[in-house]
Amino acid sequence: METRSVVSIYDTKALEAVRSRNAVQPHRMKLFRNALFKKACGRDEALDTLPENARSDFAEHVGFGFLELLERHDSKIDGASKLIFKTNDGHLIESVVLRPATGRTSICISSQVGCACYCGFCATGMMGFSRNLTLDEILDQVTQANRMVKPEGRSIRNVVFMGMGEPLLNPDAVFAAVAFLRAPQFFDLSASHITVSTVGIPHAMERFVETFPKMPLALSLHSARQEVREKLMPQARKYPLDQLRETLVRASASGKVMIEYLMLSGINDGEADLQALIDYLRGIPVHLNIIPFNEFAGSQLRGTAQPEREQFAARLKAAGFDTTLRYSLGSDIAAACGQLVQKKRRQ
Ligand code: SF4
């Protein structure tokens, strides 16, 4: 007898074979996919959209869930929810659902277990790197979050690759995930509602911009002074600011580029830092986000106080830059990348 393996719901070729052997009409497949990805139905409800004779084969041979939701922490101050997922091989990863008062329900997702970039301001960077997440594991964060927010009358309309890991060091799975998020028959998100955030891997940034023109790209700059950036982010030694600037010019000609600037007291918030930033970005049409630092156990770094952050942002605006002063969401649930998993690992 032929033995059939379980195929992923995101493996379109293999799924087509399951459809074909059950002679499911394309319009029923459309109903099935819509139930899963647009209406955020559970597995059984989605299976009910298929002809009765096909349901058991689909139930047995199509994989729907790839992560186990281990914990959910809801912020009492701003509606953020931090989710801890467990992979099939026992790793923990995080996602954060954000419900800003004005704006779309968003999710910040992980692309790797841990991270090999070792940024000094990041709890994930302290964990080291375990492995890349698969396409299934990346997308399952969005699928499960969508089901979670459905009873609130919400749906995830914005996806940010800014959780654990450097997305552009897992390019194949991340690029494939972005294509699924865009695809009308799957998540159907518009290009402007998906953002990939990177520490600055120039060749991968160029590939991203070529593959997904008009899609926002966020660069974690954090300093426009090479020596300061190298101390904060070891990757900066490999990819110096000059090289990164050339890539930024090209990327900003294609789509929206955001510059993330985390403000760290006494490290990157002085007059020389401000001037270096202005000089570095002059002439490039970017949007600047000034971000507060979420302090965490094990880090000596301290965040810049709010009045100084406001002043820094005002000076950037006065210099002609499109600048947003960000506030921390989910500060009571350790929403900064990697904090909760690090705590859980210690337990
Ligand atoms: S900030 Fe991002 S790239 Fe840097 S260590 Fe953390 S997860 Fe990795």
Side-chain angles (χ1 to χ4, degrees):
M1 213 176 83
E2 189 194 346
T3 52
R4 288 169 170 164
S5 55
V6 175
V7 304
S8 161
I9 187 72
Y10 304 112
D11 184 340
T12 42
K13 219 167 148 188
L15 194 65
E16 172 55 22
V18 182
R19 182 203 71 78
S20 167
R21 74 180 177 230
N22 287 283
V24 178
Q25 293 298 311
H27 78 278
R28 297 297 289 271
M29 280 304 282
K30 188 177 172 189
L31 290 178
F32 171 65
R33 271 196 308 264
N34 283 352
L36 280 173
F37 301 110
K38 301 215 171 82
K39 297 184 179 167
C41 299
R43 188 190 87 133
D44 293 346
E45 212 182 323
L47 286 171
D48 283 347
T49 64
L50 293 169
E52 218 170 324
N53 65 322
R55 288 177 200 164
S56 62
D57 191 10
F58 272 71
E60 233 177 285
H61 297 113
V62 178
F64 291 85
F66 306 92
L67 297 168
E68 179 194 344
L69 179 59
L70 214 59
E71 288 180 15
R72 170 182 170 170
H73 299 255
D74 294 324
S75 167
K76 290 184 179 53
I77 44 181
D78 52 30
S81 299
K82 189 149 208 170
L83 312 178
I84 299 189
F85 290 107
K86 190 169 158 188
T87 64
N88 287 337
D89 55 351
H91 291 295
L92 302 182
I93 59 161
E94 296 178 358
S95 315
V96 187
V97 172
L98 302 165
R99 303 170 183 83
T102 51
R104 296 171 214 101
T105 307
S106 306
I107 186 166
C108 175
I109 58 174
S110 295
S111 55
Q112 297 182 311
V113 180
C115 186
C117 290
Y118 303 102
C119 300
F121 48 80
C122 171
T124 301
M126 291 186 167
M127 286 175 205
F129 174 70
S130 297
R131 68 166 173 83
N132 283 332
L133 290 182
T134 63
L135 169 68
D136 296 339
E137 291 164 336
I138 293 173
L139 291 175
D140 206 25
Q141 296 169 67
V142 185
T143 306
Q144 293 207 38
N146 242 332
R147 280 192 210 126
M148 186 187 92
V149 300
K150 187 182 173 185
E152 306 164 27
R154 294 174 177 271
S155 64
I156 302 286
R157 298 312 299 157
N158 216 45
V159 175
V160 189
F161 287 80
M162 213 184 262
M164 293 171 74
E166 163 53 54
L168 295 186
L169 288 181
N170 182 13
D172 292 345
V174 167
F175 281 42
V178 170
F180 271 96
L181 292 170
R182 288 280 291 119
Q185 65 273 39
F186 286 90
F187 295 88
D188 199 20
L189 297 182
S190 76
S192 59
H193 294 175
I194 304 166
T195 304
V196 169
S197 172
T198 176
V199 288
I201 318 283
H203 59 275
M205 289 167 74
E206 308 238 358
R207 185 181 150 203
F208 180 84
V209 168
E210 274 165 32
T211 315
F212 303 110
K214 309 247 173 288
M215 198 168 284
L217 188 64
L219 170 70
S220 298
L221 186 64
H222 308 322
S223 177
R225 297 167 69 193
Q226 182 64 22
E227 69 281 12
V228 176
R229 199 161 187 270
E230 281 183 16
K231 274 189 203 140
L232 288 173
M233 311 162 81
Q235 284 285 330
R237 286 177 218 141
K238 210 163 161 188
Y239 305 113
L241 281 166
D242 290 350
Q243 186 189 359
L244 213 46
R245 193 176 189 284
E246 286 169 27
T247 303
L248 273 184
V249 170
R250 281 193 285 274
S252 63
S254 164
K256 185 173 178 181
V257 173
M258 281 168 290
I259 300 292
E260 309 296 318
Y261 199 97
L262 190 64
M263 291 207 65
L264 299 163
S265 180
I267 306 279
N268 65 356
D269 59 355
E271 186 60 32
D273 301 290
L274 179 71
Q275 280 312 321
L277 185 58
I278 291 172
D279 291 344
Y280 185 71
L281 294 176
R282 186 170 286 126
I284 315 178
V286 293
H287 185 106
L288 269 150
N289 286 319
I290 302 300
I291 314 166
F293 177 58
N294 278 316
E295 293 171 11
F296 60 91
S299 169
Q300 308 296 318
L301 296 169
R302 294 290 165 258
T304 305
Q306 189 171 323
E308 281 85 58
R309 290 203 312 271
E310 285 171 355
Q311 210 179 22
F312 199 88
R315 297 271 307 275
L316 287 165
K317 277 184 195 168
F321 290 100
D322 207 2
T323 306
T324 305
L325 190 65
R326 299 276 174 201
Y327 295 91
S328 181
L329 287 174
S331 51
D332 58 332
I333 50 163
C337 163
Q339 271 181 281
L340 216 54
V341 164
Q342 204 191 38
K343 205 164 138 191
K344 186 108 191 102
R345 274 184 168 187
R346 277 200 297 265
Q347 285 167 4

